């Protein structure tokens, strides 16, 4: 009798029985660096809603936007340590884990976001989701943001206009090479530090999507933005592979379903949010938006093209070819 009472007591202490234990959900922390009124901000909230619904409350998702919990410098490490379960860094930020994903940083690689989508959905794109498993990171999905625009406090109409200027870049060697190719000076900076760096003039310019330029108010401290569409900012939703593989199968399935639907929502709203952000910037009058003529655009393509050859060995020609092929819709 005494033995069974003791056994029951220790089970309760371990939290294996009792109404409180049955109800306490698994807490999933989802950390990211952008504002809530962006494609990623909205998609993270959609994932929370659906994950809690599909798991019947077995998980509780806490979303931390705006580098509140972890910024660029620490978020991968936080996943590795289990301090956070979901992150969705820009593809440029996987530089130190694999050179293959740097493919997405090659300037003028994709004609538009539809081409990016075709590549990500194809075999080469899907394989990249698993390319960091040996380092214990697993990609569950790609989320679109959109095409990058370039800004400064002077019009950037031809590559020579960028010469000598200092540009903030994400932590990517390809992006560094892209600006060096223009005779400009790249400076790697965390996303949360960009506004201030532009404001005080530590850097002269930056490249980003309309939704990021608007939600971070970069347009208030940049007089000129060129609609260059010269590259892409997209995300990979990443989890700690060991943590994910240790989840019960039914929970994994529910979370995967929530992720697939949140991805669909993200990719449906990304273009619209970027277009709205562009209109708001235009309406603010704080920054002038410049369009490139075909001739001017050709000069940017030409000036940045040597970056491809420089990184072909590290990325792999097969991957670059697959990406180029995705520019053709069938
Ligand atoms: C993001 O969209 O997550 C940030 C991109 C950047 O660092 O510029």
């Amino acid at each position: 009798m005494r033995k069974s009472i003791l056994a029951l007591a220790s089970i309760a202490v371990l939290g294996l029985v009792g109404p409180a234990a049955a109800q306490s959900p698994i807490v999933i922390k989802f950390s990211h660096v952008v504002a809530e009124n962006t494609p990623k901000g909205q998609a993270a909230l959609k994932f929370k809603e659906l994950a809690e619904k599909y798991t019947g409350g077995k998980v509780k998702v806490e979303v931390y936007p705006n580098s509140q919990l972890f910024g660029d410098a620490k978020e991968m490490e936080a996943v590795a340590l289990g301090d956070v379960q979901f992150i969705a860094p820009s593809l440029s930020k996987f530089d130190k884990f694999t050179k293959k994903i740097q493919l997405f940083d090659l300037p003028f690689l994709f004609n538009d976001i539809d081409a990016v989508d075709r590549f990500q959905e194809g075999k080469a794109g899907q394989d990249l989701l698993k390319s960091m498993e040996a380092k214990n990171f697993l990609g569950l999905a790609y989320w679109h943001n959109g095409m990058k625009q370039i800004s400064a406090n002077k019009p950037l109409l031809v590559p020579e206009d960028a010469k000598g200027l200092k540009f903030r870049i994400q932590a990517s060697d390809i992006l560094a090479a892209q600006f060096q190719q223009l005779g400009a000076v790249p400076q790697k900076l965390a996303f949360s530090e960009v506004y201030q760096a532009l404001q005080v003039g530590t850097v002269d310019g930056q490249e980003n999507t309309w939704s990021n330029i608007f939600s971070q108010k970069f347009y208030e401290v940049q007089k000129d933005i060129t609609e260059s569409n010269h590259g892409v900012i997209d995300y990979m939703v990443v989890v700690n592979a060991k943590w994910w593989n240790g989840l019960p199968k039914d929970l994994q399935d529910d979370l995967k379903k929530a992720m697939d639907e949140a991805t669909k929502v993200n990719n449906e709203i990304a273009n619209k949010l970027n277009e709205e952000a562009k209109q708001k910037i235009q309406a603010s009058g704080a920054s002038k938006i410049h369009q490139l003529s075909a001739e001017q655009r050709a000069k940017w393509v030409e000036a940045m093209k040597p970056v491809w050859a420089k990184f072909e060995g590290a990325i792999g020609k097969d991957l670059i070819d697959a990406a180029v092929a995705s520019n053709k819709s069938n």
Side-chain angles (χ1 to χ4, degrees):
M1 177 68 179
R2 192 163 176 273
K3 263 192 189 159
S4 52
I5 290 172
L6 274 178
L8 272 176
S10 48
I11 287 172
V13 166
L14 286 170
L16 300 178
V17 291
Q23 282 160 16
S24 65
I26 298 174
V27 174
I28 290 181
K29 292 186 180 159
F30 193 143
S31 170
H32 66 80
V33 301
V34 295
E36 285 189 339
N37 59 341
T38 58
K40 179 162 62 180
Q42 292 290 298
L45 291 173
K46 184 48 102 179
F47 172 70
K48 168 185 167 60
E49 176 200 319
L50 297 175
E52 290 176 355
K53 180 169 143 193
Y54 292 150
T55 61
K58 278 192 218 146
V59 303
K60 178 171 181 292
V61 181
E62 294 174 356
V63 181
Y64 298 90
N66 268 324
S67 310
Q68 249 170 43
L69 194 59
F70 294 105
D72 285 340
K74 290 268 186 267
E75 61 180 2
M76 296 292 285
E77 194 186 320
V79 170
L81 293 173
D83 291 337
V84 63
Q85 285 67 44
F86 279 66
I87 56 170
S90 145
L91 295 167
S92 310
K93 293 175 187 166
F94 293 103
D95 189 301
K96 54 180 185 249
F97 299 100
T98 168
K99 290 292 168 205
K100 296 215 168 283
I101 296 177
Q102 296 304 286
L103 167 84
F104 290 95
D105 282 339
L106 291 177
F108 295 103
L109 176 64
F110 295 105
N111 291 346
D112 51 31
I113 209 75
D114 290 340
V116 178
D117 200 52
R118 283 190 287 274
F119 174 77
Q120 290 173 348
E121 288 304 307
K123 178 164 173 5
Q126 291 298 303
D127 286 350
L128 284 180
L129 290 173
K130 299 187 201 97
S131 62
M132 293 177 291
E133 253 188 303
K135 298 196 168 104
N136 201 22
F137 294 116
L138 177 65
L140 294 185
Y142 291 105
W143 284 357
H144 293 322
N145 184 334
M147 303 305 281
K148 281 187 292 191
Q149 321 305 338
I150 189 169
S151 71
N153 280 315
K154 65 181 264 200
L156 301 169
L157 301 177
V158 289
E160 292 73 33
D161 293 332
K163 204 169 171 174
L165 298 186
K166 212 182 251 186
F167 285 88
R168 177 270 170 170
I169 55 163
Q170 303 178 71
S172 151
D173 290 345
I174 292 195
L175 298 180
Q178 170 191 274
F179 281 104
Q180 279 155 355
Q181 203 57 44
L182 301 173
V185 184
Q187 182 153 339
K188 292 178 182 172
L189 264 187
F191 188 58
S192 57
E193 291 167 28
V194 182
Y195 178 86
Q196 206 191 0
L198 292 169
Q199 190 184 36
V200 302
T202 317
V203 292
D204 305 299
Q206 64 84 46
E207 50 168 16
N208 228 303
T209 60
W210 291 116
S211 60
N212 280 348
I213 294 172
F214 177 70
S215 59
Q216 298 295 317
K217 302 192 186 339
F218 297 161
Y219 70 101
E220 290 181 357
V221 286
Q222 293 280 267
K223 291 200 182 75
D224 298 275
I225 308 173
T226 299
E227 185 155 40
S228 50
N229 292 319
H230 64 283
V232 63
I233 289 190
D234 261 22
Y235 309 110
M236 191 184 283
V237 184
V238 170
V239 292
N240 178 313
K242 277 197 198 118
W243 170 79
W244 176 261
N245 292 329
L247 289 176
K249 174 83 171 67
D250 60 332
L251 212 58
Q252 252 185 29
D253 289 347
D254 292 339
L255 291 175
K256 189 77 181 76
K257 185 170 170 218
M259 180 52 58
D260 289 348
E261 287 181 33
T263 300
K264 203 159 169 274
V265 169
N266 178 89
N267 294 352
E268 277 164 12
I269 62 173
N271 275 346
K272 184 172 155 280
L273 288 182
N274 275 301
E275 191 50 38
E276 282 171 9
K278 177 181 156 189
Q279 301 303 333
K280 285 180 191 155
I281 293 169
Q282 201 147 32
S284 76
S287 192
K288 188 165 168 28
I289 298 176
H290 303 274
Q291 303 297 330
L292 295 176
S293 68
E295 202 182 320
Q296 287 167 335
R297 191 176 156 83
K299 287 188 179 157
W300 287 94
V301 174
E302 184 65 22
M304 290 178 169
K305 194 76 182 185
V307 176
W308 287 37
K310 202 165 167 197
F311 289 90
E312 187 182 285
I315 296 170
K317 187 167 175 348
D318 50 338
L319 266 187
I320 298 178
D321 289 347
V324 171
S326 69
N327 282 319
K328 288 194 210 99
S329 58
N330 296 319

